[in-house]
């Protein structure tokens, strides 16, 4: 089903917000935003019931433009605010949108504990391997050897995989896409939002301005084309050796499992508390 | 409704427990926190009591996350609180600023212990007073209250929530290790005698709603997420719609309203208690547990013929200048005993527009200030 861009614009963009947005031409953030809106369109939930929380960075500006209950929090803390919103009003559909540095450096502790806690939340992480807004410093997903404004002699630390971290930390649903795979991405986001439990979608994105330029990776088109070449599906990746997977991006659903959800479990805690206290406080 | 507040039976409670009962009586239904001495009992008791009243308790991964969750819960329409001590309060400062700027009502309890750093975890201190006012960066409105007894821990906690809700401001409640862990027999008022204030919610159609347009008091009505008033909340300086702004007029009017909403509320927010102040020639200004030693000291000094009085500060910030300044004019000397190097005495000095002699009495050795010490100093004035 093709959803006309005009439908998305008129349904979900804020009419009273002063555009333009802050993103550079060719930025992957817009592709992620459109995929999120297509997913929400198909979910067919009221805009009043959606909360979109973000942290700090280029990704952090996304909620500003969208006509939901939107919350632009402090750096790395989107999931902590989202946790409070969800626990206080479990009927709300809460999505946190973060960047790689936001979610896994300054917010790394919150990210692994949100995964472990398994609230019914959705986390979308736009991973462009760099701190874009502050001028191109290295992040936890900047590859070994890469150039950034704080690693001009080559990066000496190793990156980690956000999706694999989420699986290990206990998330119910973990998926990965790239900004080339826009239609896959919106299906994964839709699946994540339907999933009961903590659901993570990592999106590999391009920051040609801060990352591509310094690492001779070309502009937006070249970077996004490279994602297409690097991508292998989960099923194909299973048949490949570690050497063959070197430099590849595995896309699709990496983990989908049923685990107790703490929002549901807390209902039982309330029943036990009421029973044991006989209605007394 | 908490049973403890319905009955008038006397009960033996610790300061930290009284904070819990005060919070529940004020309508608090969400708590997020992280273990820390000497505040942990607040979390422990709320983990037992909140689920029994359809509230929510969660232990987060650190204090940064705790206050984040509290802000989130308040934005979703639920009265929320966290409790910590010095090291945790340090970690909360950034998000505390978010609550100030986004005008999110919440209560942050800091049961003070000796600092700085890990300091003296089990010893009393009052070293976080100026930090409570100025800990988060930038100019910001915030209200700081101090409790001196178990009964205060109940009633001032209720007030803290009421101020938070009425002015859409985070309220910091300072307790200390002595108040927190002292057990006293108290009689809590019945729930129907407790004044509970709830935030004003918007009544206009959602299309008309501007989430950061102040009413005549400078306080905007607050819609909860999910109420149909979709709006944007940010830590960036924002316009009346909540959207980030760089417009100098909008920035200025934002800061002006932040300051005005608190200054217009001074008579309501600034709480003090006077003891023997009417004819006092020398005065003690004290707060927290030290105020109780001070009261005893003032009574002892009176019995020795000295016309001494006590002004107990419940509100530390905004500093209750309109009460303090006239007393400085009236008295020839003022003694300010504190378990720090002089964090409130500098405020007293700041509002001293006459020649009143301000004398400090400071202890930072992890020991409580006794009535005898204060009496001795009073008799020297």
């Amino acid at each position: 089903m093709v959803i006309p861009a005009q439908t998305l614009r008129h349904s979900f963009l804020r009419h009273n917000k002063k555009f333009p947005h802050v993103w550079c031409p060719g930025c992957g953030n817009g592709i992620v935003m459109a995929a999120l809106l297509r997913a929400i369109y198909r979910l067919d939930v009221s805009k009043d019931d959606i909360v979109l929380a973000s942290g700090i960075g280029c990704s952090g500006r996304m909620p500003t433009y969208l006509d939901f209950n939107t919350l632009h929090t402090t750096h790395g803390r989107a999931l902590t605010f989202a946790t409070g919103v969800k626990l206080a009003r479990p009927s709300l559909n809460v999505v946190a949108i973060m960047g790689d540095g936001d979610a896994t450096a300054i917010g790394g502790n919150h990210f692994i504990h949100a995964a472990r806690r398994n609230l019914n939340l959705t986390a979308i992480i736009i991973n462009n391997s760099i701190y874009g807004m502050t001028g191109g410093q290295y992040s936890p997903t900047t590859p070994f050897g890469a150039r950034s404004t704080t690693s001009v002699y080559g990066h000496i630390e190793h990156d980690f995989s956000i999706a694999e971290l989420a699986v290990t930390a206990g998330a119910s649903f973990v998926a990965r896409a790239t900004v080339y795979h826009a239609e896959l991405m919106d299906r994964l986001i839709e699946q994540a939002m339907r999933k009961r439990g903590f659901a993570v979608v990592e999106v590999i994105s391009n920051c040609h301005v801060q990352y591509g330029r310094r690492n001779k990776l070309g502009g937006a088109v070249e970077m996004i084309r490279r994602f297409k070449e690097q991508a292998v599906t989960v099923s194909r990746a299973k048949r490949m050796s570690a050497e063959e997977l070197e430099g590849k991006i595995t896309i699709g659903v990496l983990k989908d499992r049923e685990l107790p959800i703490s929002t549901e479990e807390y209902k039982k805690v309330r029943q036990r508390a009421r029973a044991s206290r006989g209605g007394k406080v | 409704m908490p049973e403890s507040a319905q009955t008038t039976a006397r009960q033996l409670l610790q300061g930290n427990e009284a904070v819990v009962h005060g919070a529940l009586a004020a309508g608090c239904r969400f708590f997020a926190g992280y273990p820390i001495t000497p505040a942990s009992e607040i979390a422990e008791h709320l983990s037992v009591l909140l689920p029994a009243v359809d509230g929510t308790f969660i232990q987060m991964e650190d204090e940064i996350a705790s206050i984040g969750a509290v802000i989130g819960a308040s934005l979703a329409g639920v009265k929320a609180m966290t409790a910590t001590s010095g090291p945790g309060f340090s970690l909360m400062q950034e998000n505390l600023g978010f609550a100030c700027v986004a005008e999110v009502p919440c209560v942050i309890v800091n049961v003070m212990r000796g600092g700085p750093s890990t300091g003296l975890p089990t010893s009393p201190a009052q070293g976080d007073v100026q930090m409570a006012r100025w800990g988060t960066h930038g100019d910001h409105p915030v209200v700081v209250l101090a409790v001196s007894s178990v009964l205060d821990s109940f009633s001032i906690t209720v007030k803290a929530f009421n101020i938070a809700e009425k002015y859409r401001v985070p309220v910091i409640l300072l307790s200390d290790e002595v108040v927190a862990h002292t057990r006293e027999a108290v009689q809590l008022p019945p729930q129907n005698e407790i004044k509970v204030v709830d935030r004003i919610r918007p009544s206009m159609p959602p299309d008309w709603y501007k989430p950061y347009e102040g009413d005549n008091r400078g306080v905007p009505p607050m819609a909860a997420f999910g109420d149909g008033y979709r709006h944007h909340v940010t830590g960036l300086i924002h316009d009346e719609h909540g959207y980030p702004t760089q417009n100098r007029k909008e920035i200025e009017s934002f800061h002006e309203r932040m300051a005005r909403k608190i200054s217009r509320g001074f008579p309501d927010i600034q709480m003090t208690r006077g003891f023997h102040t009417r004819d006092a020639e020398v005065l003690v200004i004290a707060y927290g547990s030290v105020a109780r030693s001070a009261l005893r000291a003032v009574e002892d000094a009176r019995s020795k013929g000295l016309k001494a009085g006590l002004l107990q500060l419940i509100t530390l910030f905004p500093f209750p200048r309109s009460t303090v300044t006239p007393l400085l004019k009236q008295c020839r000397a003022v003694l300010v005993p504190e378990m720090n190097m002089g964090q409130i005495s500098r405020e007293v000095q700041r509002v001293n527009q006459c020649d009143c002699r301000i004398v400090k009495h400071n202890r930072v050795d992890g020991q409580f200030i006794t009535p005898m010490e204060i009496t001795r100093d009073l008799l020297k004035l």
Side-chain angles (χ1 to χ4, degrees), chain B residues 268-288:
Chain B
D268 178 40
I269 295 169
Q270 293 174 331
M271 297 178 286
T272 58
R273 281 188 198 127
F275 301 91
H276 308 295
T277 52
R278 189 164 302 210
D279 63 341
E281 292 169 4
V282 295
L283 184 74
V284 183
I285 295 179
Y287 56 94

Side-chain angles (χ1 to χ4, degrees), chain B residues 231-310:
Chain B
H231 64 284
H232 187 57
V233 178
T234 176
L236 288 163
I237 304 297
H238 40 268
D239 61 18
E240 289 179 338
H241 291 279
Y243 301 138
T245 181
Q246 300 265 11
N247 178 300
R248 105 188 132 75
K249 280 192 181 138
E250 286 173 348
I251 297 167
E252 197 172 18
S253 78
F254 167 83
H255 278 290
E256 186 275 329
R257 184 174 62 75
M258 290 289 106
R260 176 165 49 94
K261 72 173 183 176
I262 298 300
S263 58
R264 280 186 63 123
F266 276 174
D268 178 40
I269 295 169
Q270 293 174 331
M271 297 178 286
T272 58
R273 281 188 198 127
F275 301 91
H276 308 295
T277 52
R278 189 164 302 210
D279 63 341
E281 292 169 4
V282 295
L283 184 74
V284 183
I285 295 179
Y287 56 94
S289 56
V290 176
R292 302 188 76 187
S293 286
L295 181 57
R296 173 66 193 272
V298 162
E299 280 162 358
D300 286 351
R302 287 237 161 206
S303 71
K304 292 186 169 73
L306 181 70
K307 283 194 174 168
L310 166 67

Side-chain angles (χ1 to χ4, degrees), chain A residues 14 16-18 47-49 51 61 63-64 67-75 77 80-81 83-85 87-89 92 109-110 113 117 266 269-270 273-274 277 280-281, chain B residues 3 48-49 51-62 64-65 68-69 71-73 75-76 95 98 224-228 230-236 239 241 243-244:
Chain A
R14 279 188 161 131
N16 57 353
K17 170 72 188 98
K18 292 166 272 183
K47 291 192 284 184
D48 291 339
D49 293 334
V51 177
R61 295 303 182 100
T64 321
D67 188 18
F68 306 118
N69 304 284
T70 55
L71 178 54
H72 178 210
T73 74
T74 46
H75 198 16
R77 320 300 175 201
T80 72
F81 286 61
T83 297
V85 171
L87 286 172
R89 208 152 174 167
L92 294 171
N109 199 28
H110 309 310
H113 287 282
R117 191 170 286 128
Y266 200 75
V269 169
R270 283 178 175 168
R274 275 195 296 268
R277 303 196 66 79
K280 292 177 188 167
V281 169
Chain B
E3 190 208 38
V48 175
L49 299 180
V53 292
D54 279 336
T56 304
F57 167 89
I58 187 167
Q59 183 173 310
M60 295 297 283
E61 54 274 16
D62 58 28
I64 302 170
I71 294 168
L75 288 168
N95 279 344
F98 184 96
F225 284 167
D227 278 356
R230 296 185 304 275
H231 64 284
H232 187 57
V233 178
T234 176
L236 288 163
D239 61 18
H241 291 279
Y243 301 138

Side-chain angles (χ1 to χ4, degrees), chain B residues 81-330:
Chain B
M81 178 174 89
T82 184
T84 187
S85 188
F89 192 50
S90 292
L91 287 178
M92 290 182 182
Q93 294 304 321
E94 189 197 11
N95 279 344
L96 175 59
F98 184 96
C100 294
V101 159
E103 299 176 74
V104 184
C106 55
V107 173
I108 298 122
V109 180
N110 175 7
V111 183
M112 290 184 286
R113 66 189 216 186
S117 190
T118 313
L120 298 160
T122 57
S123 299
Q126 297 177 313
D128 304 346
V129 168
Q130 291 289 344
M131 180 208 191
R133 175 62 191 91
W134 293 112
T136 195
H137 58 279
D139 284 303
H140 56 275
V142 76
V143 173
V144 183
L145 309 178
V147 295
S148 67
S149 66
V150 172
L151 197 55
D152 260 10
S153 298
F154 177 86
S155 59
I156 306 302
T157 301
V158 175
K159 292 253 189 191
F161 273 97
N162 288 351
I163 291 170
E165 293 285 313
K166 189 169 174 182
Y167 298 94
R168 286 191 62 174
V169 68
V171 175
I172 294 149
L173 188 78
L174 294 179
S175 180
D176 60 59
E177 198 275 335
V178 173
V179 178
H181 287 159
T182 300
R183 287 183 187 277
E184 292 183 80
V186 290
Q187 199 163 8
L188 302 179
Q191 182 74 35
N192 58 13
E193 285 177 18
I194 297 166
K195 189 187 168 208
V196 173
V197 178
D198 296 321
R199 66 193 67 171
I200 294 174
R201 303 227 177 182
S203 55
M204 67 284 276
D207 280 352
W208 296 11
Y209 181 54
K210 291 185 193 168
Y212 290 95
E213 182 183 43
D215 60 10
N216 57 351
R217 300 172 301 136
V219 184
M222 186 171 176
F225 284 167
D227 278 356
Y229 291 84
R230 296 185 304 275
H231 64 284
H232 187 57
V233 178
T234 176
L236 288 163
I237 304 297
H238 40 268
D239 61 18
E240 289 179 338
H241 291 279
Y243 301 138
T245 181
Q246 300 265 11
N247 178 300
R248 105 188 132 75
K249 280 192 181 138
E250 286 173 348
I251 297 167
E252 197 172 18
S253 78
F254 167 83
H255 278 290
E256 186 275 329
R257 184 174 62 75
M258 290 289 106
R260 176 165 49 94
K261 72 173 183 176
I262 298 300
S263 58
R264 280 186 63 123
F266 276 174
D268 178 40
I269 295 169
Q270 293 174 331
M271 297 178 286
T272 58
R273 281 188 198 127
F275 301 91
H276 308 295
T277 52
R278 189 164 302 210
D279 63 341
E281 292 169 4
V282 295
L283 184 74
V284 183
I285 295 179
Y287 56 94
S289 56
V290 176
R292 302 188 76 187
S293 286
L295 181 57
R296 173 66 193 272
V298 162
E299 280 162 358
D300 286 351
R302 287 237 161 206
S303 71
K304 292 186 169 73
L306 181 70
K307 283 194 174 168
L310 166 67
L311 182 70
Q312 181 193 340
L313 307 180
I314 292 166
T315 305
L316 304 185
F317 297 102
F319 189 73
R321 169 183 222 142
S322 58
T323 310
V324 173
T325 302
L327 284 168
L328 297 180
K329 280 187 187 134
Q330 175 190 317

Side-chain angles (χ1 to χ4, degrees), chain A residues 198-227:
Chain A
F198 190 69
V200 178
V201 180
E202 179 189 7
V203 181
I204 306 297
S205 184
N206 59 298
C207 183
H208 47 284
V209 175
Q210 302 290 13
Y211 183 71
R213 186 161 54 94
R214 290 194 178 83
N215 291 284
K216 302 193 165 47
L217 296 171
V221 174
E222 290 76 20
M223 285 190 80
I224 293 172
R225 189 176 289 141
R226 194 168 295 106
F227 295 149

Side-chain angles (χ1 to χ4, degrees), chain A residues 75-281:
Chain A
H75 198 16
R77 320 300 175 201
L79 283 169
T80 72
F81 286 61
T83 297
V85 171
K86 184 67 186 179
L87 286 172
R89 208 152 174 167
S91 62
L92 294 171
N93 205 323
V94 185
V95 179
I97 183 123
M98 297 166 282
D100 44 298
D102 193 38
T104 63
I106 191 166
N109 199 28
H110 309 310
F111 180 61
I112 57 173
H113 287 282
R116 175 186 63 78
R117 191 170 286 128
N118 202 35
L119 286 176
N120 197 8
L121 293 173
T122 304
I124 300 171
I125 298 153
I126 305 176
N127 177 3
N128 61 8
S129 306
I130 204 82
Y131 286 90
M133 186 173 265
T134 48
Q137 298 80 12
Y138 65 79
S139 86
T141 56
T142 302
F144 184 86
R147 301 289 200 267
S148 73
T149 54
T150 46
S151 62
V152 290
Y153 305 112
H155 193 37
I156 58 168
E157 297 171 15
H158 299 278
D159 58 319
F160 58 36
S161 158
I162 294 174
E164 284 168 35
L165 180 66
V167 171
T168 308
S172 286
F173 177 90
V174 181
R176 192 192 281 123
T178 84
V179 288
Y180 175 80
H181 303 86
E183 287 181 9
L184 169 71
M185 193 198 319
D186 65 48
R187 286 203 306 277
L188 293 176
I189 293 172
E190 184 186 347
Q191 259 184 288
M193 289 183 72
R194 287 188 193 280
K195 179 71 189 180
R196 306 202 30 83
F198 190 69
V200 178
V201 180
E202 179 189 7
V203 181
I204 306 297
S205 184
N206 59 298
C207 183
H208 47 284
V209 175
Q210 302 290 13
Y211 183 71
R213 186 161 54 94
R214 290 194 178 83
N215 291 284
K216 302 193 165 47
L217 296 171
V221 174
E222 290 76 20
M223 285 190 80
I224 293 172
R225 189 176 289 141
R226 194 168 295 106
F227 295 149
K228 178 191 174 189
E229 291 156 7
Q230 289 173 308
V232 290
T233 59
V234 170
S235 52
R236 220 181 102 201
K238 278 182 187 151
R239 299 191 300 270
M240 291 167 72
S241 67
E243 291 77 42
E244 288 171 321
L245 280 170
E246 193 68 34
K248 299 290 182 197
I249 302 166
T250 309
I251 57 169
V253 178
L254 277 72
K255 198 75 177 181
D256 189 357
R257 55 189 160 185
E258 298 304 318
L259 295 166
I261 305 159
S262 55
T263 17
E264 295 303 313
E265 294 301 308
Y266 200 75
K267 287 180 188 161
K268 297 178 196 164
V269 169
R270 283 178 175 168
Q271 282 165 7
R272 284 175 218 145
R274 275 195 296 268
S276 79
R277 303 196 66 79
K280 292 177 188 167
V281 169

